[in-house]
Amino acid sequence: MRRDVFQAIADPTRRAIIGLIALQAMTPNAIAEHFDTSRQAVSKHLQILTECQLVKQEQQGREIYYQLEVAKMKEIDKWLEQFRKIWEDRFSELDTVLSNLKTNKP
Amino acid sequence: MRRDVFQAIADPTRRAIIGLIALQAMTPNAIAEHFDTSRQAVSKHLQILTECQLVKQEQQGREIYYQLEVAKMKEIDKWLEQFRKIWEDRFSELDTVLSNLKTNKP
DNA sequence: AAGATATGCAACCATTTGTTTGCTAATATA
DNA sequence: TATATTAGCAAACAAATGGTTGCATATCTT
Protein backbone atom coordinates (compact mmCIF):
# COMPACT_ATOMS: atom_id res chain seq x y z
CA MET A 1 0.00 0.00 0.00
CA ARG A 2 1.34 3.35 -1.11
CA ARG A 3 1.85 5.58 1.89
CA ASP A 4 4.12 8.57 1.78
CA VAL A 5 4.11 12.11 3.08
CA PHE A 6 2.52 13.49 -0.07
CA GLN A 7 -0.32 11.06 0.14
CA ALA A 8 -0.72 11.96 3.80
CA ILE A 9 -1.18 15.67 3.24
CA ALA A 10 -3.55 15.15 0.32
CA ASP A 11 -6.56 14.94 2.60
CA PRO A 12 -7.83 18.30 3.93
CA THR A 13 -8.90 16.83 7.26
CA ARG A 14 -5.43 15.40 7.66
CA ARG A 15 -3.87 18.78 6.91
CA ALA A 16 -6.13 20.33 9.53
CA ILE A 17 -5.06 17.71 12.05
CA ILE A 18 -1.43 18.41 11.23
CA GLY A 19 -1.95 22.12 11.76
CA LEU A 20 -3.76 21.43 14.99
CA ILE A 21 -1.17 19.24 16.64
CA ALA A 22 1.82 21.08 15.23
CA LEU A 23 2.27 23.18 18.33
CA GLN A 24 0.53 21.10 20.96
CA ALA A 25 0.12 17.35 21.34
CA MET A 26 -3.49 16.20 21.51
CA THR A 27 -5.57 13.09 22.09
CA PRO A 28 -7.77 11.63 19.33
CA ASN A 29 -10.91 12.70 21.18
CA ALA A 30 -9.69 16.24 21.58
CA ILE A 31 -8.79 16.36 17.90
CA ALA A 32 -12.15 14.96 16.86
CA GLU A 33 -13.94 17.69 18.79
CA HIS A 34 -12.39 20.27 16.51
CA PHE A 35 -14.02 18.79 13.44
CA ASP A 36 -17.39 17.31 12.61
CA THR A 37 -16.05 13.82 12.08
CA SER A 38 -16.18 10.88 14.40
CA ARG A 39 -13.34 9.84 16.67
CA GLN A 40 -12.84 6.70 14.60
CA ALA A 41 -12.37 8.69 11.45
CA VAL A 42 -9.77 10.85 13.16
CA SER A 43 -8.18 7.71 14.53
CA LYS A 44 -7.78 6.32 11.03
CA HIS A 45 -6.23 9.55 9.83
CA LEU A 46 -3.83 9.42 12.74
CA GLN A 47 -3.00 5.87 11.80
CA ILE A 48 -2.10 6.97 8.29
CA LEU A 49 -0.07 9.89 9.62
CA THR A 50 1.71 7.48 11.95
CA GLU A 51 2.47 5.04 9.15
CA CYS A 52 4.39 7.66 7.25
CA GLN A 53 5.99 8.92 10.45
CA LEU A 54 4.46 12.36 10.30
CA VAL A 55 3.17 11.88 13.82
CA LYS A 56 4.45 10.36 17.03
CA GLN A 57 2.42 9.03 19.93
CA GLU A 58 2.97 9.32 23.60
CA GLN A 59 0.94 7.23 25.97
CA GLN A 60 0.00 8.97 29.18
CA GLY A 61 -2.24 6.82 31.29
CA ARG A 62 -5.13 5.76 29.13
CA GLU A 63 -4.75 8.77 26.91
CA ILE A 64 -2.52 8.86 23.89
CA TYR A 65 -1.12 12.20 22.87
CA TYR A 66 -0.31 12.68 19.22
CA GLN A 67 2.29 15.18 18.18
CA LEU A 68 3.57 16.23 14.80
CA GLU A 69 6.96 14.97 13.72
CA VAL A 70 7.83 18.32 12.21
CA ALA A 71 11.12 17.10 10.79
CA LYS A 72 9.24 14.82 8.44
CA MET A 73 7.64 17.83 6.83
CA LYS A 74 11.04 18.69 5.50
CA GLU A 75 10.62 15.94 2.95
CA ILE A 76 7.98 18.02 1.23
CA ASP A 77 10.21 21.04 1.48
CA LYS A 78 13.04 19.05 -0.01
CA TRP A 79 10.97 18.05 -3.00
CA LEU A 80 9.86 21.63 -3.45
CA GLU A 81 13.45 22.75 -3.45
CA GLN A 82 14.03 22.00 -7.14
CA PHE A 83 11.10 24.21 -8.13
CA ARG A 84 11.98 26.98 -5.76
CA LYS A 85 15.10 27.50 -7.82
CA ILE A 86 12.85 28.07 -10.79
CA TRP A 87 10.25 30.37 -9.29
CA GLU A 88 12.66 32.46 -7.33
CA ASP A 89 14.94 35.10 -8.80
CA ARG A 90 15.59 34.24 -12.42
CA PHE A 91 12.21 32.85 -13.26
CA SER A 92 10.16 36.00 -12.89
CA GLU A 93 12.49 37.76 -15.28
CA LEU A 94 12.46 34.89 -17.73
CA ASP A 95 8.71 34.83 -17.53
CA THR A 96 8.33 38.47 -18.40
CA VAL A 97 10.79 38.05 -21.26
CA LEU A 98 8.74 35.17 -22.61
CA SER A 99 5.42 36.95 -22.33
CA ASN A 100 6.94 39.99 -23.99
CA LEU A 101 8.05 37.85 -26.87
CA LYS A 102 4.56 36.43 -27.06
CA THR A 103 2.64 39.71 -26.98
CA ASN A 104 4.96 41.29 -29.54
CA LYS A 105 4.55 38.43 -31.94
CA PRO A 106 1.22 39.22 -33.67
CA MET B 1 -15.08 16.89 -6.55
CA ARG B 2 -12.15 17.77 -4.34
CA ARG B 3 -9.28 19.00 -6.46
CA ASP B 4 -6.47 21.05 -5.02
CA VAL B 5 -2.71 21.26 -5.33
CA PHE B 6 -2.14 18.85 -2.49
CA GLN B 7 -4.34 16.24 -4.04
CA ALA B 8 -2.54 16.80 -7.34
CA ILE B 9 0.93 16.07 -5.99
CA ALA B 10 -0.24 13.05 -4.03
CA ASP B 11 0.25 10.74 -6.99
CA PRO B 12 3.86 9.75 -7.70
CA THR B 13 3.33 9.64 -11.46
CA ARG B 14 1.93 13.15 -11.29
CA ARG B 15 4.96 14.32 -9.33
CA ALA B 16 7.18 12.75 -11.96
CA ILE B 17 5.27 14.56 -14.70
CA ILE B 18 5.62 17.82 -12.80
CA GLY B 19 9.35 17.30 -12.51
CA LEU B 20 9.56 16.44 -16.18
CA ILE B 21 7.77 19.48 -17.57
CA ALA B 22 9.12 21.91 -15.00
CA LEU B 23 11.88 23.13 -17.25
CA GLN B 24 10.59 22.20 -20.66
CA ALA B 25 7.06 22.04 -22.05
CA MET B 26 6.12 18.66 -23.45
CA THR B 27 3.33 16.95 -25.33
CA PRO B 28 1.26 14.16 -23.72
CA ASN B 29 2.85 11.60 -26.03
CA ALA B 30 6.36 12.71 -25.17
CA ILE B 31 5.52 12.59 -21.48
CA ALA B 32 3.98 9.14 -21.76
CA GLU B 33 7.16 7.81 -23.35
CA HIS B 34 9.03 8.59 -20.15
CA PHE B 35 6.87 6.26 -18.10
CA ASP B 36 5.35 2.86 -18.58
CA THR B 37 1.82 4.12 -18.61
CA SER B 38 -0.46 4.71 -21.54
CA ARG B 39 -0.98 8.07 -23.18
CA GLN B 40 -4.55 8.16 -21.90
CA ALA B 41 -3.41 7.68 -18.33
CA VAL B 42 -0.99 10.58 -18.70
CA SER B 43 -3.73 12.60 -20.32
CA LYS B 44 -5.93 12.05 -17.28
CA HIS B 45 -3.15 13.17 -14.98
CA LEU B 46 -2.63 16.26 -17.10
CA GLN B 47 -6.33 16.95 -16.89
CA ILE B 48 -6.17 16.86 -13.11
CA LEU B 49 -3.08 19.06 -13.09
CA THR B 50 -4.87 21.48 -15.39
CA GLU B 51 -7.97 21.57 -13.20
CA CYS B 52 -5.97 22.82 -10.26
CA GLN B 53 -3.98 25.15 -12.50
CA LEU B 54 -0.65 23.50 -11.89
CA VAL B 55 -0.19 23.20 -15.60
CA LYS B 56 -0.88 25.36 -18.61
CA GLN B 57 -1.39 24.23 -22.18
CA GLU B 58 -0.23 25.73 -25.37
CA GLN B 59 -1.59 24.45 -28.63
CA GLN B 60 0.89 24.32 -31.44
CA GLY B 61 -0.60 22.85 -34.54
CA ARG B 62 -2.08 19.49 -33.60
CA GLU B 63 0.27 19.16 -30.67
CA ILE B 64 -0.45 20.50 -27.23
CA TYR B 65 2.49 21.45 -25.09
CA TYR B 66 2.03 21.25 -21.36
CA GLN B 67 4.12 23.38 -19.08
CA LEU B 68 4.27 23.69 -15.34
CA GLU B 69 2.69 26.73 -13.73
CA VAL B 70 5.53 27.03 -11.27
CA ALA B 71 3.91 29.88 -9.40
CA LYS B 72 1.15 27.54 -8.28
CA MET B 73 3.71 25.44 -6.44
CA LYS B 74 4.10 28.35 -4.11
CA GLU B 75 0.80 27.39 -2.54
CA ILE B 76 2.43 24.30 -1.12
CA ASP B 77 5.34 26.36 0.01
CA LYS B 78 2.96 28.81 1.62
CA TRP B 79 1.27 26.07 3.61
CA LEU B 80 4.62 24.70 4.64
CA GLU B 81 5.62 28.13 5.89
CA GLN B 82 3.90 27.76 9.27
CA PHE B 83 5.83 24.58 9.99
CA ARG B 84 9.12 25.90 8.75
CA LYS B 85 9.00 28.35 11.63
CA ILE B 86 8.80 25.40 13.97
CA TRP B 87 11.43 23.14 12.53
CA GLU B 88 13.95 25.85 11.92
CA ASP B 89 16.09 27.38 14.65
CA ARG B 90 14.23 27.37 17.94
CA PHE B 91 12.44 24.09 17.66
CA SER B 92 15.39 21.74 17.98
CA GLU B 93 16.34 23.45 21.22
CA LEU B 94 12.80 23.39 22.53
CA ASP B 95 12.59 19.74 21.68
CA THR B 96 15.64 18.81 23.71
CA VAL B 97 14.36 20.87 26.62
CA LEU B 98 11.07 19.02 26.53
CA SER B 99 12.64 15.57 26.37
CA ASN B 100 14.95 16.51 29.22
CA LEU B 101 11.95 17.46 31.33
CA LYS B 102 10.36 14.18 30.42
CA THR B 103 13.25 11.89 31.24
CA ASN B 104 13.90 13.64 34.53
CA LYS B 105 10.31 13.25 35.65
CA PRO B 106 10.20 9.66 37.07
C1' DA C 1 -8.35 14.15 -51.01
C1' DA C 2 -6.75 10.12 -48.22
C1' DG C 3 -4.23 8.21 -44.68
C1' DA C 4 -1.42 8.85 -40.59
C1' DT C 5 -0.74 11.14 -36.24
C1' DA C 6 -1.96 13.73 -31.88
C1' DT C 7 -5.18 14.43 -28.68
C1' DG C 8 -9.45 14.67 -25.98
C1' DC C 9 -13.64 12.47 -24.17
C1' DA C 10 -16.80 8.94 -22.37
C1' DA C 11 -17.75 4.47 -20.58
C1' DC C 12 -16.26 0.87 -17.86
C1' DC C 13 -13.68 -1.61 -14.09
C1' DA C 14 -10.63 -2.87 -10.17
C1' DT C 15 -8.64 -0.82 -6.28
C1' DT C 16 -8.20 2.54 -2.76
C1' DT C 17 -10.14 5.96 0.45
C1' DG C 18 -12.84 7.95 4.06
C1' DT C 19 -16.40 7.02 7.01
C1' DT C 20 -19.56 4.56 10.14
C1' DT C 21 -20.85 0.86 13.26
C1' DG C 22 -19.88 -2.50 16.60
C1' DC C 23 -16.68 -4.71 19.42
C1' DT C 24 -12.66 -5.37 22.69
C1' DA C 25 -8.81 -3.88 25.81
C1' DA C 26 -6.92 -0.84 29.05
C1' DT C 27 -7.13 2.81 32.41
C1' DA C 28 -9.43 5.89 35.58
C1' DT C 29 -13.12 6.88 39.02
C1' DA C 30 -16.93 5.90 42.17
C1' DT D 1 -15.13 -4.06 42.57
C1' DA D 2 -18.30 -1.95 39.33
C1' DT D 3 -18.84 1.59 36.03
C1' DA D 4 -17.30 5.12 32.88
C1' DT D 5 -13.93 6.77 29.68
C1' DT D 6 -10.28 6.39 26.09
C1' DA D 7 -8.79 4.27 22.27
C1' DG D 8 -7.53 0.64 18.95
C1' DC D 9 -9.35 -2.91 15.62
C1' DA D 10 -12.33 -5.24 12.14
C1' DA D 11 -16.05 -5.35 9.01
C1' DA D 12 -19.02 -3.03 5.82
C1' DC D 13 -19.95 0.47 2.42
C1' DA D 14 -20.34 4.53 -0.60
C1' DA D 15 -17.40 7.49 -3.14
C1' DA D 16 -13.18 8.62 -5.43
C1' DT D 17 -9.04 7.24 -8.02
C1' DG D 18 -6.18 5.37 -11.61
C1' DG D 19 -6.26 2.81 -15.41
C1' DT D 20 -7.92 0.66 -19.97
C1' DT D 21 -10.58 0.50 -24.22
C1' DG D 22 -12.93 2.53 -27.93
C1' DC D 23 -14.23 6.41 -30.48
C1' DA D 24 -14.41 11.29 -32.34
C1' DT D 25 -11.93 15.44 -33.79
C1' DA D 26 -8.30 18.14 -35.57
C1' DT D 27 -4.02 18.60 -37.95
C1' DC D 28 -0.20 17.15 -40.69
C1' DT D 29 1.80 14.59 -44.74
C1' DT D 30 1.64 12.41 -49.11
Side-chain angles (χ1 to χ4, degrees):
Chain A
M1 201 172 297
R2 173 162 50 83
R3 190 123 300 174
D4 56 22
V5 190
F6 296 97
Q7 211 266 332
I9 63 164
D11 185 80
T13 306
R14 230 134 50 204
R15 283 201 303 281
I17 291 176
I18 289 174
L20 202 57
I21 64 174
L23 294 167
Q24 186 183 10
M26 294 179 79
T27 64
N29 263 329
I31 296 169
E33 280 167 17
H34 281 77
F35 310 103
D36 45 355
T37 19
S38 67
R39 181 187 61 76
Q40 279 86 348
V42 168
S43 204
K44 273 211 161 186
H45 284 305
L46 287 172
Q47 197 177 318
I48 291 171
L49 292 171
T50 305
E51 273 179 51
C52 59
Q53 298 167 311
L54 253 173
V55 142
K56 60 183 167 189
Q57 321 175 13
E58 184 163 344
Q59 188 106 22
Q60 203 155 336
R62 70 180 157 181
E63 294 177 327
I64 299 179
Y65 283 86
Y66 284 86
Q67 188 171 25
L68 187 64
E69 195 77 78
V70 200
K72 195 71 177 179
M73 302 283 280
K74 280 189 186 175
E75 275 190 23
I76 308 164
D77 198 54
K78 200 175 170 186
W79 181 72
L80 231 54
E81 189 59 40
Q82 54 185 313
F83 306 107
R84 196 170 295 120
K85 284 170 193 159
I86 303 176
W87 82 56
E88 276 174 6
D89 48 60
R90 277 169 304 166
F91 182 68
S92 51
E93 303 163 36
L94 181 62
D95 199 32
T96 48
V97 170
L98 286 176
S99 48
N100 282 345
L101 280 174
K102 213 175 300 171
T103 47
N104 296 344
K105 202 189 294 173
Chain B
M1 200 172 300
R2 174 162 49 83
R3 190 124 298 173
D4 56 23
V5 189
F6 296 97
Q7 211 266 332
I9 64 164
D11 186 80
T13 305
R14 229 134 52 204
R15 283 201 302 282
I17 291 176
I18 289 174
L20 202 57
I21 63 173
L23 294 167
Q24 187 183 8
M26 293 179 78
T27 64
N29 262 330
I31 295 169
E33 279 167 17
H34 281 76
F35 309 102
D36 46 355
T37 19
S38 67
R39 180 189 61 78
Q40 280 87 348
V42 169
S43 205
K44 273 207 160 190
H45 285 305
L46 287 172
Q47 197 178 318
I48 291 171
L49 292 172
T50 304
E51 274 179 50
C52 60
Q53 298 166 310
L54 253 174
V55 142
K56 58 184 167 188
Q57 320 176 13
E58 186 163 344
Q59 188 107 21
Q60 203 156 336
R62 69 180 156 181
E63 294 177 328
I64 298 179
Y65 283 86
Y66 284 86
Q67 188 170 25
L68 187 64
E69 195 78 78
V70 201
K72 194 72 177 178
M73 303 284 279
K74 280 188 185 175
E75 274 191 23
I76 308 164
D77 198 54
K78 200 175 170 186
W79 181 72
L80 230 54
E81 189 60 40
Q82 55 186 315
F83 307 106
R84 196 171 295 118
K85 286 170 192 158
I86 303 176
W87 81 56
E88 278 173 3
D89 49 61
R90 280 168 304 166
F91 183 68
S92 51
E93 304 162 36
L94 181 62
D95 198 31
T96 47
V97 170
L98 285 175
S99 47
N100 282 345
L101 281 172
K102 215 174 299 170
T103 47
N104 295 343
K105 203 191 294 174

